[in-house]
Amino acid sequence: MGFSEKSISFNTIINDLYFYYYHFGFSTIVTQYIISLITSYLLLFIFFFFSNCINYSELLTGEHQNNNNTSTDDMMIKNIWQLINLDKWFPENPYLIICFVIYTIYLICITINNLYSIRYFYKIKEIYNKVHNIPDRYLKFYQWEDIIFKIQE
């Protein structure tokens, strides 16, 4: 069936087959993993953007505002952009550096795990598509009992 690992038990394979069935196929599972990765990477970017790139001391004191009394929306937007410095993206605080390193290691680990999971579910896709002749687009028309019956044949 394409599984060379001896550590995978029959129950694990059945659970993964059901997971694949429940999510209606490979593309949905891959989409979930990609969205999870994008969310994790965006969290890193947003956290360090708000903690390092914005000059909060000028924002709170109001030094960035123009001295003339004409306050239009365009002037306000220009003044806000003066508070953002993208050159300071990497943290200078030792605590934030440790957080950055730990979260980066975590991101690398979940990226590798997601890649292996996608490869694994590609093998599950081959079981459904090639061994049992059930394309992903028809999974929603099958009952789980029908799939178990096809597996037992």
Side-chain angles (χ1 to χ4, degrees):
M1 287 192 184
F3 292 99
S4 61
E5 299 91 3
K6 293 182 181 180
S7 63
I8 298 176
S9 69
F10 179 73
N11 288 337
T12 303
I13 292 174
I14 292 296
N15 286 339
D16 292 336
L17 286 170
Y18 181 75
F19 182 83
Y20 189 91
Y21 162 78
Y22 182 78
H23 291 285
F24 300 119
F26 185 70
S27 61
T28 308
I29 294 171
V30 169
T31 304
Q32 282 183 333
Y33 282 125
I34 289 173
I35 288 173
S36 170
L37 283 176
I38 289 172
T39 304
S40 298
Y41 281 96
L42 276 176
L43 179 65
L44 178 74
F45 172 76
I46 289 170
F47 177 76
F48 285 107
F49 175 79
F50 282 114
S51 64
N52 298 316
C53 296
I54 297 176
N55 189 347
Y56 288 105
S57 61
E58 284 184 26
L59 179 66
L60 295 175
T61 59
E63 295 175 8
H64 67 286
Q65 293 179 352
N66 210 354
N67 288 335
N68 56 10
N69 292 334
T70 59
S71 64
T72 63
D73 291 337
D74 292 335
M75 294 281 288
M76 187 183 296
I77 291 173
K78 287 179 186 177
N79 290 335
I80 289 174
W81 279 106
Q82 291 173 358
L83 297 173
I84 298 173
N85 185 3
L86 293 178
D87 294 335
K88 290 187 175 185
W89 190 84
F90 192 76
E92 296 173 357
N93 183 335
Y95 173 74
L96 291 178
I97 291 173
I98 292 170
C99 290
F100 177 79
V101 169
I102 290 171
Y103 196 73
T104 303
I105 292 170
Y106 168 74
L107 284 177
I108 291 169
C109 291
I110 65 167
T111 302
I112 292 170
N113 182 43
N114 285 352
L115 291 174
Y116 278 111
S117 295
I118 288 171
R119 259 185 49 204
Y120 176 75
F121 280 107
Y122 185 77
K123 292 177 184 178
I124 298 286
K125 174 185 166 110
E126 289 178 348
I127 290 173
Y128 271 104
N129 294 350
K130 294 180 181 174
V131 176
H132 300 296
N133 293 327
I134 304 172
D136 287 354
R137 65 182 176 267
Y138 295 126
L139 276 175
K140 58 186 162 195
F141 301 117
Y142 281 89
Q143 295 292 323
W144 176 242
E145 292 80 18
D146 299 333
I147 292 177
I148 293 294
F149 181 74
K150 276 194 157 236
I151 290 172
Q152 291 175 348
E153 287 179 346

